[in-house]
Amino acid sequence: MFSLVFQNDDFLVIDKHPGISVHKDDNDQPLLSEVAKQTGDEKLYLIHRLDKMTSGLLLLGRHQQAASELSSMFADKTVKKFYLALSAKKPNKKQGTIIGDMTKSRRSMWKLLSTKTNPAVTQFFSTSGGEGKRLFLCKPYTGKTHQIRVALKSVGSSIMGDETYSGAGADRGYLHAFALRFNHGGEAFSFQQKPSIGNEWPELPEEWQTPDALNWPKLPHQK
């Protein structure tokens, strides 16, 4: 289900495997139960969520105060998040910013609107992923449901293995929570985890190894 990346007195960081749900199913959270068994915690708190198909870095609080403080950071958008994605289709632009409100569509799908009342904001770079595929590095500034999946579909590059959004068939959904950066308790934390599951992942470009140092374009509201 996961591998343990880091732990201290306040929180854990795990690398969640693809195909594992973080949501409660019939009032049970098997992932959190499994992590707690390994770490000896009586209770763990989910700070943020990853879709079932998405692998990668997931932050879990070890007590209520830490969970409250960490959750507030996500709500205040002070946590920097970076994701990797792979598509079998080239985007209509190689890099850029995707901004728009999101609304529920049919079944469990969401769609991007041209309005910007409370928009999802995603920036991305892309490069060749080999054999006609395209590799993306995405930086979401908001945390909307299916945000990156919908954003990449909107530029013509549905994620491989993402059946909901008509992605090409694959051995998994190719979306991975690659890096997290945040401050907690007066200390700066930085975590990075390459995807370990999936036959299609290409090598990462050297400059993507330090995603925070890339020249991300300024957002319209930034000076």
Side-chain angles (χ1 to χ4, degrees):
M1 284 188 174
F2 72 97
S3 55
L4 187 62
V5 175
F6 176 85
Q7 61 180 320
N8 65 13
D9 291 340
D10 291 336
F11 63 85
L12 309 169
V13 180
I14 65 168
D15 178 7
K16 183 186 86 67
H17 293 174
I20 303 297
S21 177
V22 303
H23 298 282
K24 288 188 178 181
D25 298 314
D26 298 324
N27 296 318
D28 184 31
Q29 278 181 303
L31 175 62
L32 266 62
S33 299
E34 285 300 314
V35 179
K37 275 186 203 173
Q38 182 170 320
T39 59
D41 288 277
E42 283 187 23
K43 183 174 182 179
L44 292 171
Y45 298 82
L46 198 59
I47 307 301
H48 60 121
R49 286 169 168 75
L50 297 177
D51 292 342
K52 185 174 181 178
M53 79 168 205
T54 308
S55 60
L57 296 174
L58 186 67
L59 189 61
L60 303 174
R62 301 188 82 172
H63 55 83
Q64 198 160 12
Q65 182 182 342
S68 176
E69 291 171 357
L70 293 166
S71 295
S72 292
M73 291 190 316
F74 277 87
D76 294 340
K77 302 179 178 60
T78 57
V79 179
K80 291 182 178 178
K81 302 167 287 184
F82 302 91
Y83 288 73
L84 297 171
L86 192 64
S87 178
K89 294 183 178 179
K90 288 185 178 180
N92 54 34
K93 53 182 179 179
K94 290 185 178 180
Q95 64 185 65
T97 304
I98 303 165
I99 304 177
D101 293 324
M102 288 178 61
T103 186
K104 277 193 173 178
S105 181
R106 53 197 169 85
R107 299 194 302 277
S108 57
M109 294 175 66
W110 290 75
K111 64 179 178 180
L112 196 69
L113 304 176
S114 58
T115 57
K116 299 175 183 177
T117 306
N118 181 24
V121 182
T122 309
Q123 292 191 313
F124 73 93
F125 292 110
S126 73
T127 189
S128 171
E131 298 178 351
K133 294 188 282 289
R134 199 79 189 167
L135 180 66
F136 291 82
L137 176 65
C138 300
K139 183 181 184 181
Y141 288 84
T142 46
K144 312 283 188 184
T145 302
H146 293 187
Q147 177 172 325
I148 296 172
R149 297 162 68 181
V150 172
L152 293 187
K153 179 178 173 63
S154 78
V155 294
S157 296
S158 291
I159 295 170
M160 287 175 58
D162 187 357
E163 295 178 2
T164 302
Y165 294 101
S166 306
D171 59 328
R172 59 158 292 183
Y174 275 80
L175 181 59
H176 177 79
F178 172 51
L180 279 176
R181 309 267 191 275
F182 59 89
N183 294 313
H184 177 69
E187 189 174 348
F189 291 94
S190 177
F191 302 101
Q192 205 157 294
Q193 190 82 4
K194 290 181 183 178
S196 59
I197 297 174
N199 299 323
E200 304 288 344
W201 289 113
E203 283 293 313
L204 293 187
E206 184 65 35
E207 61 270 23
W208 287 15
Q209 309 284 348
T210 49
D212 208 18
L214 291 169
N215 187 26
W216 296 94
K218 295 226 181 297
L219 293 174
H221 64 272
Q222 293 177 327
K223 294 181 179 179

